[in-house]
Amino acid sequence: MAKKKKIGSYPNAMIVMSLTAALFLIGFCGLLVIQSKKLVSVIRQNIEVRVFLDKEGTKSAQDSILNVIQGKPFVLSSTEVKPITFVSKEEAAKEFIEGTKEDFATFLGENPLRDSYRVKINDDYFEEAKLQQIKKELEQIGGVYEVVYQEDLADNINRNVTKIYTVLASFALVMLIIIVLLVNNTIKLAIYSQRFLIRSMQLVGATNGFIQKPYVIRGAIQGLVGGLLAALMLLGLQQLAVRNVEGLAMLQEYNKIILLVISVLSLGVLIGVTSTYQSLARYLRMALDDLY
């Protein structure tokens, strides 16, 4: 004999599972955005402006140029990487030979390369127009022979980054709308099973606030539990990826991941409370004949 459903029973597990799936997908989009932003930042930090010095420059002149460059606002301020690196002409020749497998000194008889400073730039200045201004500003320093960087690279990176963010933002927005609608419908179905219980409470004189309070609290708890489960799944997936994908560890920004987890929890509570409140309001206003 089939087990009968109790009057007023509430499908808590179904709601929590729906919220967990919804919040996990939203959180996953947020995790992708965090990782992609850090990846772009790492790429930018590895792009350098090269400041070539005059050949006849002395050590004191090089130190003076270094002091001037260090005072510029566009120089990367970071403790993770060295913002300015001095490369002697001998080191530059060694790099060139290793890269091309050709020893130019054998037929030139001398090293034509120059000492240089390799300068990393702050993200705020990573635009073609600003890089051109940096180039002009550095070339005006006494003892600087030439300033070069990979032109048009900044614009190409910025265009691609904008496309990536647009796609991710659009996907997250569409998913958020779809997921909120699905979760809202799930909670509406759950409240629907309670409609006669709600009406019975009204008939014995219970106020709307008294009726709503336990349901709204339950909705908040369901949202919190769904958020916790989604957060645990996200953190588990993130740790699994870090352990199995080489180089992914350097892209982790745990302060932002913590904020993402807090956002997922808050969103879960918000969706649970809002959807429950809206669904209850409908049945509290409904006429008796409409309940059947």
Side-chain angles (χ1 to χ4, degrees):
M1 186 175 180
K3 186 178 180 181
K4 291 184 178 180
K5 202 173 185 180
K6 292 181 181 180
I7 295 175
S9 62
Y10 201 80
N12 289 294
M14 180 177 67
I15 295 173
V16 170
M17 287 176 61
S18 299
L19 281 167
T20 301
L23 295 170
F24 173 76
L25 290 173
I26 294 171
F28 183 69
C29 290
L31 194 61
L32 287 178
V33 171
I34 292 173
Q35 303 295 319
S36 61
K37 287 188 72 173
K38 181 61 177 179
L39 177 60
V40 170
S41 179
V42 170
I43 292 173
R44 288 176 173 176
Q45 287 179 7
N46 284 281
I47 296 174
E48 303 166 321
V49 173
R50 299 193 178 188
V51 182
F52 292 99
L53 310 179
D54 291 337
K55 286 190 174 182
E56 61 274 10
T58 61
K59 181 64 170 63
S60 60
Q62 292 175 358
D63 292 339
S64 177
I65 293 171
L66 175 61
N67 291 331
V68 174
I69 295 175
Q70 286 176 334
K72 299 294 183 181
F74 51 77
V75 177
L76 179 67
S77 52
S78 173
T79 57
E80 298 177 1
V81 295
K82 192 175 181 181
I84 304 175
T85 305
F86 177 76
V87 180
S88 66
K89 59 183 181 180
E90 290 78 20
E91 291 172 331
K94 184 178 179 181
E95 287 181 3
F96 182 86
I97 293 171
E98 288 178 352
T100 61
K101 307 301 180 183
E102 295 181 3
D103 188 356
F104 54 82
T106 56
F107 55 88
L108 290 179
E110 62 175 353
N111 183 358
L113 302 180
R114 297 171 180 268
D115 296 333
S116 66
Y117 285 111
R118 296 180 180 178
V119 184
K120 297 183 185 298
I121 306 299
N122 274 321
D123 282 0
D124 294 340
Y125 294 86
F126 203 79
E127 297 176 8
E128 186 61 30
K130 291 182 179 180
L131 288 172
Q132 285 286 349
Q133 182 60 37
I134 290 172
K135 173 181 168 69
K136 292 179 182 178
E137 192 173 333
L138 291 175
E139 286 181 338
Q140 292 174 356
I141 300 174
V144 173
Y145 174 75
E146 185 183 17
V147 176
V148 299
Y149 67 92
Q150 294 174 287
E151 297 187 12
D152 296 328
L153 181 61
D155 281 345
N156 290 333
I157 291 177
N158 289 333
R159 279 196 297 269
N160 290 329
V161 168
T162 301
K163 290 178 182 177
I164 292 170
Y165 289 164
T166 301
V167 170
L168 286 176
S170 301
F171 179 75
L173 180 61
V174 171
M175 290 300 299
L176 178 61
I177 293 172
I178 294 173
I179 286 165
V180 168
L181 290 175
L182 289 174
V183 171
N184 195 45
N185 287 334
T186 303
I187 293 177
K188 279 183 179 179
L189 289 173
I191 299 296
Y192 177 79
S193 68
Q194 305 275 290
R195 66 194 187 282
F196 292 114
L197 180 60
I198 292 170
R199 178 46 57 99
S200 299
M201 295 172 71
Q202 284 180 314
L203 291 174
V204 297
T207 62
N208 288 349
F210 180 83
I211 296 171
Q212 289 172 330
K213 184 177 178 181
Y215 287 101
V216 171
I217 292 174
R218 181 182 290 177
I221 293 173
Q222 289 168 341
L224 183 61
V225 172
L228 284 171
L229 292 174
L232 289 173
M233 290 169 62
L234 280 172
L235 293 175
L237 179 65
Q238 181 254 351
Q239 288 299 313
L240 181 65
V242 167
R243 292 177 183 177
N244 291 277
V245 179
E246 186 178 355
L248 192 60
M250 65 183 297
L251 301 181
Q252 305 310 303
E253 293 183 285
Y254 290 101
N255 56 335
K256 292 183 179 179
I257 292 175
I258 291 172
L259 289 176
L260 176 64
V261 168
I262 294 172
S263 299
V264 168
L265 294 175
S266 302
L267 185 59
V269 174
L270 180 62
I271 293 175
V273 170
T274 304
S275 298
T276 303
Y277 183 84
Q278 288 178 343
S279 300
L280 275 170
R282 175 189 175 191
Y283 290 107
L284 288 172
R285 296 192 301 266
M286 192 174 288
L288 181 61
D289 292 340
D290 295 333
L291 293 177
Y292 294 92

